[in-house]
């Protein structure tokens, strides 16, 4: 595809605010609090959000190219989450132009220095008005030279289709992303922990826990269809430990124990995050720490089965993808606020014994 073949959509943003400074009021240093710098990252996020809303699809990556001459619009290309690439022209006016002038100010200053030093003389004969390109996206904010004739150029106007294909966001390659996640996990996956489960002992412990804590379990019900639903999606058996506990209850008032339906719902919610192409392996592992070598440092994966809620999107789970020093079927903590995947107990029996004894088992794994 050539540049001339592209149909551009004209977009103007009436709600883009004037350039504003970062809020540094939270800094301990008085110097830092009073330092003024424009919040270009805030502008990036605002622009991507508004453009996503306008196009009715999430914008994963955006190229904005400065005008070829004064008064012409900014050419832009937006990569949408549905794999559509949209050509856009932003009107060269208003607060949007003010932001662009601020962002590219240093680039134009550098251009003037090149001209004054004679470094740009030959290129200026070819094109007296070089352009710049801004790349915006999740964790992205970069500038490049365009159409200047210099070696550092990138060339979106030449073989535009090939350029756009080459620069597509990683999220477009969902097969590769899914394979990277699975390859990372496969050495840890062990889904056969309940081969020697003592169900009678487990149920006895659970009844003892309920009686000691004076809890009021809801009457159990037939969950076979729920178990089948889970197994068809997970490709491994619903945990036998949980089936055993669920013969005694269907949720317990004033307790974190979940119903079978709630367990599968939460598992699906977390699997959706894991499967989401926007959550690449680096995102899943980048901010989550393992608990020694007992657990895997990962935000979530489909081999954790949450069965107990600690609130605010945090859970206790059976772990079928333990670390190299962990065991399949161990009990872990993970969730929205868990920066470390905490080891809680060796197995469900150990978990119930500690819970019944009054040990603060839910806090296991926190730094002392």
């Amino acid at each position: 595809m050539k540049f001339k073949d592209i149909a551009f959509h004209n977009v103007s943003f009436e709600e883009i605010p004037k350039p504003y400074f970062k809020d540094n009021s939270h800094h301990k240093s008085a110097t830092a609090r009073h330092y003024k710098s424009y919040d270009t990252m805030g502008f990036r996020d605002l622009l991507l959000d508004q453009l996503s809303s306008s196009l009715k699809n999430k914008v994963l990556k955006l190229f904005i190219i400065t005008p070829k001459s004064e008064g012409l619009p900014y050419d832009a290309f937006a990569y949408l989450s549905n794999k559509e690439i949209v050509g856009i022209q932003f009107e060269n006016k208003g607060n949007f132009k003010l932001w662009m002038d601020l962002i590219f100010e240093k680039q134009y200053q550098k251009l003037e220095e090149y001209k004054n030093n004679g470094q740009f003389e030959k290129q200026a004969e070819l094109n007296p008005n070089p352009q710049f390109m801004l790349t915006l996206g999740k964790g992205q904010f970069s500038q490049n030279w365009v159409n200047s004739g210099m070696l550092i150029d990138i060339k979106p106007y030449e073989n535009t289709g090939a350029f756009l294909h080459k620069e597509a966001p990683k999220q477009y390659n969902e097969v590769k992303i899914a394979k990277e996640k699975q390859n990372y996990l496969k050495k840890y996956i062990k889904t056969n922990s309940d081969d020697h489960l003592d169900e009678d002992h487990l149920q006895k412990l659970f009844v003892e826990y309920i009686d000691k804590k004076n809890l009021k379990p809801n009457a159990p019900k037939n969950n076979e269809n729920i178990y089948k639903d889970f197994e068809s999606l997970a490709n491994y058996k619903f945990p036998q430990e949980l089936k055993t506990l669920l013969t005694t209850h269907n949720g317990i008032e004033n307790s974190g124990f979940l119903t079978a339906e709630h367990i599968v719902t939460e598992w699906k919610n977390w699997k959706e995050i894991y499967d989401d192409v926007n959550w690449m392996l680096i995102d899943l592992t980048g901010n989550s720490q393992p608990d020694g070598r007992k657990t895997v440092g990962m935000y979530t994966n489909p081999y954790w089965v949450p069965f107990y809620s600690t609130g605010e999107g945090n859970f206790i789970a059976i772990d079928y993808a333990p670390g190299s020093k962990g065991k399949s079927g161990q009990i872990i903590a993970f969730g929205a606020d868990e920066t470390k995947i905490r080891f809680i107990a060796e197995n469900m029996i150990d978990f119930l014994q500690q819970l019944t004894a009054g040990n603060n088992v839910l806090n296991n794994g926190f730094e002392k």
Side-chain angles (χ1 to χ4, degrees), residues 18-29:
K18 291 181 179 179
Y20 55 89
F21 295 118
K22 288 181 184 177
D23 179 10
N24 295 320
S25 60
H26 61 284
H27 281 287
K28 294 181 180 179
S29 165

Side-chain angles (χ1 to χ4, degrees), residues 112-129:
E112 287 302 314
E113 290 175 11
Y114 285 165
K115 287 180 178 179
N116 294 336
N117 294 333
Q119 293 174 264
F120 198 68
E121 189 173 340
K122 290 182 180 179
Q123 286 77 14
E125 293 175 6
L126 298 173
N127 184 0
N129 296 305

Side-chain angles (χ1 to χ4, degrees), residues 9 48 72 151 164 192 206 246 249 301 333 348 352 364-365:
H9 300 261
L48 291 174
L72 291 179
L151 292 176
L164 293 174
N192 57 352
F206 193 50
L246 288 162
H249 79 97
N301 71 67
M348 187 65 76
L352 287 176
N364 286 351

Side-chain angles (χ1 to χ4, degrees), residues 140 167 181 212:
Q140 287 185 295
E167 298 294 331
K181 295 175 187 176
K212 184 171 182 179

Side-chain angles (χ1 to χ4, degrees), residues 1 4 18 23 28 71 108 163 200 204 220 269 321 329 331:
M1 179 178 283
K4 62 182 177 60
K18 291 181 179 179
D23 179 10
K28 294 181 180 179
Y108 282 114
F163 171 81
D200 290 339
K204 182 179 178 181
N269 290 341
I331 309 301

Side-chain angles (χ1 to χ4, degrees), residues 82-101:
N82 67 352
K83 288 193 172 183
E84 184 179 357
I85 304 173
V86 179
I88 299 167
Q89 289 187 328
F90 293 113
E91 294 182 7
N92 190 355
K93 66 178 185 180
N95 293 337
F96 179 81
K97 183 179 186 304
L98 293 178
W99 277 106
M100 291 296 103
D101 289 345

Side-chain angles (χ1 to χ4, degrees), residues 190 193 241 318-320 327-331 345-348:
K190 298 173 186 174
S193 70
E241 300 98 310
I318 296 178
D319 180 9
Y320 291 131
K327 292 181 179 180
S328 178
Q330 67 187 13
I331 309 301
E346 293 286 343
N347 49 43
M348 187 65 76

Side-chain angles (χ1 to χ4, degrees), residues 125-163:
E125 293 175 6
L126 298 173
N127 184 0
N129 296 305
Q131 296 163 262
F132 305 103
M133 187 170 83
L134 179 66
T135 303
L136 303 177
K138 180 182 178 182
Q140 287 185 295
F141 191 102
S142 61
Q143 295 161 289
N144 296 93
W145 289 70
V146 172
N147 201 28
S148 70
M150 300 179 74
L151 292 176
I152 58 176
D153 257 355
I154 58 172
K155 302 179 179 181
Y157 291 115
E158 299 177 20
N159 300 317
T160 302
F163 171 81

